[in-house]
Amino acid sequence: MKKYLLFLIFALLISCNNDDNSSANNRLEGKWSWIKTSGGFGGPGYPEASSQKIVIEISNTTIKTYANGTLIKDQKYFIRTKESIFGGNKKMIVIDKGSSITQETYIDRSYEIKGKKLFLAEECLDCSTSEYDRIK
């Protein structure tokens, strides 16, 4: 009986973890600070080189983009699981196009959250992937 009790306690201890992949940290909603962009036609980009601090604020319906504290974009979005050009089905941020005809609003972005980092990958050939850090 003691063996089973010890086994149960051991199983409970190893099932409880305190890593950064908790559901609160895996939420898309929040504020994210741009770290870098790679790939795409423009090549790599970094805040230091562009003299811009980019922050995106994601709610459950909108994405607001700020450059050096000034709101430059306010877009409605929704999440869809779609086939990715990178393979398999992925959750994607799909911008509500409204009446806009700009190229950027048409590019869906797959996303992945790893710990306190957000990766947004544009779903097109020779497009870019951007990395963001979660702001507390």
Side-chain angles (χ1 to χ4, degrees), residues 23 25-29 32 56 58-60 63 77-82 84 86 89-94 107-114 117-123 128-132 134:
S23 62
N25 285 330
N26 281 327
R27 292 189 52 135
L28 184 59
E29 292 85 6
W32 301 90
I56 57 174
I58 304 175
S59 73
N60 61 349
I63 298 175
Y77 80 97
F78 50 94
I79 301 293
R80 293 284 187 263
T81 299
K82 298 170 65 173
S84 171
F86 305 109
N89 288 324
K90 295 188 179 195
K91 286 186 177 181
M92 294 192 198
I93 296 172
V94 179
I107 300 174
D108 296 340
R109 291 172 176 87
S110 56
Y111 69 93
E112 185 174 6
I113 299 170
K114 292 183 179 179
K117 295 208 177 278
L118 169 66
F119 299 90
L120 295 177
E122 294 176 333
E123 289 283 327
S128 61
T129 298
S130 296
E131 180 181 333
Y132 297 84
R134 185 180 295 278

Side-chain angles (χ1 to χ4, degrees), residues 18-34:
N18 190 16
D19 68 346
D20 287 336
N21 291 325
S22 69
S23 62
N25 285 330
N26 281 327
R27 292 189 52 135
L28 184 59
E29 292 85 6
K31 287 186 177 181
W32 301 90
S33 179
W34 176 54

